[in-house]
Amino acid sequence: MAAEDADTATFEDIDWDAQGISTLGVSRAGLAELLSYLGLIAAFVYDYTWNTGPLVFRWDVLSVEWLFIGTLIAIVFHAVIPLSQKPRLRAFYWQRFKKNQVAVVALGWLAVMFVVGVLGPLLIDPPTTQFTNQSVPPVGMSTTVGGVVKTGTWQYPLGTSAKGQGILTLVVYGMRVSMEVGLIATIFSVIIGSAVGAVAAFATSVGRGRIDELLMRYVDVQSVFPDFMLLLLLTYLFGSELWMIILLFGFFSWEGIARTVRGEALQRASEEYITAAEASGANMLYIVRQHLIPNSANSIIISATVGIPGFILGEASLAFLGFSDPTTYSWGRTIATGQVNLASAWWIATIPGVFLFLTVLSFYYVGESLRDAMDPRQEVDGGGGL
Amino acid sequence: MKWYIVKRVLWTFVVMWIALTLTFGLLVASPDTGQTKSVMSCSASGGDAQQCREQYRERQNLDKPITERYVNYVTNMATLNWGWSESRSQSVMAAISEAWPYTAQYAIPVLVVSTILGYGLGLYSAYKPYTKADYLGSFVGFFGISIPNFWFALVLIILLGTHFEFISTYYQSGIPINQGWASMANITQLLIPSFVLLTASLAWQMRYSRAQAIEQMNQEFVKVAKAKGASQWRLMIHHVFRMAAVPLTTSFVSSLLAIFWSGSVIIEQIFSIPGLGLMTFTAITEQDTTLVLATTMITVFLAIIGNLIEDVSYTILDPRIDYGDR
């Protein structure tokens, strides 16, 4: 593997493992990734057929969490490992990214959200209904609820809901839901969208325009359905478990990525190296996987980052309307429960909303700054954003 | 160009037919929640359960073979005979015609204001990129697209509703009927809902038009016009705005429609405005499948027609399009 230090600068780092000419050839990292997925599937099958108690320690892995672990594996193998192996590339992008200071702060916020969202629910007990601690205000404040004066304590730093659940605990559990929704749905839409876009572009470049026409016409038809309405309709017709909502999000919102990748890959497909690969006998799958998708990676990453906040907001809106999974602690659902006692207990509806707002805002800022850092067409002095 | 427009209109009908077929497929594939509910309420009022089920199936034409149902469904939808709403005990068309003015009264003004302001501000930021004004604009844009509109509405209710007595925090549907749609009382009670919807759509159009305009400003034809001595104003209006006015992708209309539709469902639920959004919401909670489908189809049809208008106006505004290949 190519792992030199950055001091001994070289012209080109070639990953010889990846140069094996075979459609089904797998590199070492690819093999490790495949094994991780297989291990995950095995654990899933074991948990659903033989195992009755919690799988690990006290943690009973639920349906969405399986998908989430799979998503994390994909992120490790396709973002973390490649970046850690290329220190010069990392330094280059980071230098351009950090020009936008707000985006750096936003990235920090998202990192905290991610870590707390993943680890928090493992360490903190789920919120429980307690009728002794209903509608306690945040620490240092006091209000009168139903004739009784209540003062906030450090036991519940952000107060409690009308059912006596700690708002802080609800917020931490909501982080997990938002991260799951954003990341899993994005992974699915990226996989489908980039595959469709790259295949469509490649089909045109080899004179099979009909495949392109068919695929992109379908994309047109699908984009006609307004996402939110489609989702309302589908959750109405098929039920509203969280994993289902996430998959529906993923399967019905890849049109943008498909269009972007197609545009990008059309340019790439007319390049010499594609002709060379074709001439040496590479088939369509190989060219799409080895050349077209990796070379469109920048636009894929950018549109993926911009897609995440949309999914998070969409799930929160659904949950607010009461159409989301009633067993999960989504921020939207917490806000909806606070709507009833808005006048007497303002903190229930507002505090989770602040977290939701800041998370979505951070994703947009990070996406914008990534675009400035990675898109060569955006070469403008001074960088973008605030 | 004529042939292009004819082809485009024909394609619109094909898309409508595909959309109808897809929704029919969804309907057949899904468990009928409306049936269970209708049968339960019917047998609760003293009817025989079996008979109730048959009555419901007959009313909804579920007893016919699937091909006949499909043909019936498509012809009914095409002839605007959209069926019977169980929860409202009226025809779907009557329900829609009752509800739409409540939505249109705030959605249309918001659409007009946000388009004019959004494009104006977006073009201005593109004209002076990376200045203080542009940064302020981009912050407002980010703020608008990031703030969850249901949360924003609740915060405004807390902040304004408790301090300003004249702003009502829920909608009284009697006011437009008794005092007129354009009465002061009706307008003030629509202020908060309109403002919430405005922030989202304004921000979205601002960011969109800025991106479009910056993209256009790097084009050759702008450089040529500049080299020939066109003034800044002429450059922006004649060359950049003309191209940015009709956005590049075909997703513009449907995205805007999505903001309005999802926004109206949320806003009308919060403020209890009896418009199309609230109708969609109650149709889902009451499990009235016919009405849910109808409200979905309205958005789909609007999006299809919007796309058609967009594509046709595109050919008029952009002189470079080659009609041969589409």
Side-chain angles (χ1 to χ4, degrees), chain A residues 217 223-225 228-229 236-237 259 313 320-321 323 349-350 353 356-357 361 364-365 368 380 383-386, chain B residues 11 30-31 33 130 135 142-143 146-148 150-151 207 250 254 261-262 269 281 284 287 289 300 303-304 326:
Chain A
R217 280 306 181 201
S223 69
V224 152
F225 280 91
F228 189 76
M229 283 307 292
Y236 166 70
L237 292 176
R259 286 203 184 106
L313 263 187
F320 175 78
L321 290 172
F323 302 134
T350 48
L356 175 60
F357 173 48
L361 191 67
Y364 279 122
Y365 263 110
E368 177 87 350
V380 197
L386 199 75
Chain B
W11 169 242
S30 68
T33 39
Y130 311 111
Y135 288 152
F142 276 125
F143 179 86
S146 305
I147 197 159
F150 56 93
W151 180 70
R207 293 192 52 71
T250 45
S254 44
W261 212 273
S262 61
Q269 192 263 340
F281 178 78
I284 293 175
Q287 306 193 320
T289 308
V300 172
I304 292 174
R326 282 190 81 159

Side-chain angles (χ1 to χ4, degrees), chain A residues 21-334:
Chain A
I21 307 282
S22 155
T23 312
L24 296 170
V26 189
S27 66
R28 251 188 289 167
L31 194 67
E33 187 183 357
L34 202 66
L35 286 177
S36 314
Y37 291 133
L38 287 177
L40 186 69
I41 292 170
F44 173 77
V45 171
Y46 166 73
D47 192 34
Y48 270 72
T49 45
W50 292 288
N51 193 17
T52 44
L55 185 65
V56 197
F57 190 33
R58 336 175 277 171
W59 176 33
D60 188 15
V61 189
L62 299 171
S63 46
V64 184
E65 290 165 346
W66 291 106
L67 287 170
F68 193 49
I69 298 169
T71 306
L72 293 183
I73 294 175
I75 290 174
V76 165
F77 279 100
H78 292 278
V80 178
I81 290 183
L83 270 181
S84 68
Q85 283 171 351
K86 293 172 185 156
R88 281 167 64 205
L89 190 74
R90 195 176 60 211
F92 173 71
Y93 282 140
W94 174 244
Q95 209 200 343
R96 291 170 64 112
F97 181 85
K98 72 179 181 193
K99 274 187 203 161
N100 188 336
Q101 286 163 357
V102 180
V104 175
V105 176
L107 192 66
W109 169 266
L110 291 181
V112 172
M113 287 289 110
F114 180 78
V115 172
V116 177
V118 170
L119 299 181
L122 299 181
L123 305 173
I124 306 173
D125 287 326
T128 45
T129 310
Q130 287 175 330
F131 291 103
T132 45
N133 284 316
Q134 287 167 312
S135 306
V136 176
V139 66
M141 294 184 196
S142 46
T143 46
T144 318
V145 182
V148 187
V149 178
K150 288 185 176 174
T151 313
T153 57
W154 278 106
Q155 195 192 352
Y156 300 107
L158 298 179
T160 63
S161 70
K163 284 182 181 166
Q165 302 161 314
I167 299 287
L168 185 64
T169 319
L170 284 171
V171 165
V172 170
Y173 272 77
M175 275 172 210
R176 162 74 71 85
V177 175
S178 285
M179 287 293 153
E180 284 171 347
V181 170
L183 297 180
I184 302 172
T186 303
I187 288 279
F188 275 97
S189 65
V190 163
I191 293 172
I192 303 172
S194 50
V196 170
V199 167
F202 185 68
T204 294
S205 76
V206 294
R208 297 229 183 96
R210 210 172 276 173
I211 299 179
D212 182 21
E213 186 79 2
L214 195 72
L215 287 173
M216 294 325 279
R217 280 306 181 201
Y218 174 72
V219 170
D220 284 350
V221 171
Q222 190 177 304
S223 69
V224 152
F225 280 91
D227 287 346
F228 189 76
M229 283 307 292
L230 186 65
L231 216 67
L232 275 186
L233 179 72
L234 291 173
T235 48
Y236 166 70
L237 292 176
F238 295 102
S240 59
E241 278 184 75
L242 187 62
W243 64 271
M244 210 180 233
I245 294 176
I246 293 174
L247 289 187
L248 291 177
F249 266 131
F251 284 123
F252 288 99
S253 43
W254 45 266
E255 306 100 71
I257 293 179
R259 286 203 184 106
T260 318
V261 171
R262 177 179 172 271
E264 190 90 354
L266 262 184
Q267 290 174 1
R268 300 277 172 278
S270 56
E271 307 243 359
E272 301 278 316
Y273 61 82
I274 302 288
T275 322
E278 251 181 281
S280 41
N283 62 18
M284 186 152 144
L285 183 69
Y286 180 83
I287 291 177
V288 166
R289 206 182 67 152
Q290 293 292 336
H291 294 296
L292 291 181
I293 292 183
N295 282 306
S296 320
N298 282 8
S299 8
I300 296 176
I301 292 171
I302 293 165
S303 31
T305 327
V306 178
I308 296 172
F311 293 130
I312 294 179
L313 263 187
E315 191 274 335
S317 308
L318 272 184
F320 175 78
L321 290 172
F323 302 134
S324 185
D325 195 333
T327 57
T328 56
Y329 299 101
S330 163
W331 284 335
R333 214 162 64 84
T334 311

Side-chain angles (χ1 to χ4, degrees), chain B residues 301-320:
Chain B
F301 285 151
L302 283 178
I304 292 174
I305 292 167
N307 273 335
L308 173 70
I309 295 171
E310 187 176 317
D311 274 8
V312 170
S313 55
Y314 201 4
T315 64
I316 297 165
L317 282 164
D318 189 345
R320 297 169 306 177

Side-chain angles (χ1 to χ4, degrees), chain A residues 237-238, chain B residues 22-32 69 73 289 293:
Chain A
L237 292 176
F238 295 102
Chain B
L22 285 179
T23 38
F24 181 77
L26 282 178
L27 199 62
V28 173
S30 68
D32 191 346
R69 272 167 63 198
Y73 175 78
T289 308
L293 270 188

Side-chain angles (χ1 to χ4, degrees), chain B residues 123-143:
Chain B
L123 278 182
Y124 185 78
S125 318
Y127 174 55
K128 290 188 168 171
Y130 311 111
T131 57
K132 281 218 175 81
D134 182 29
Y135 288 152
L136 183 70
S138 90
F139 177 75
V140 172
F142 276 125
F143 179 86

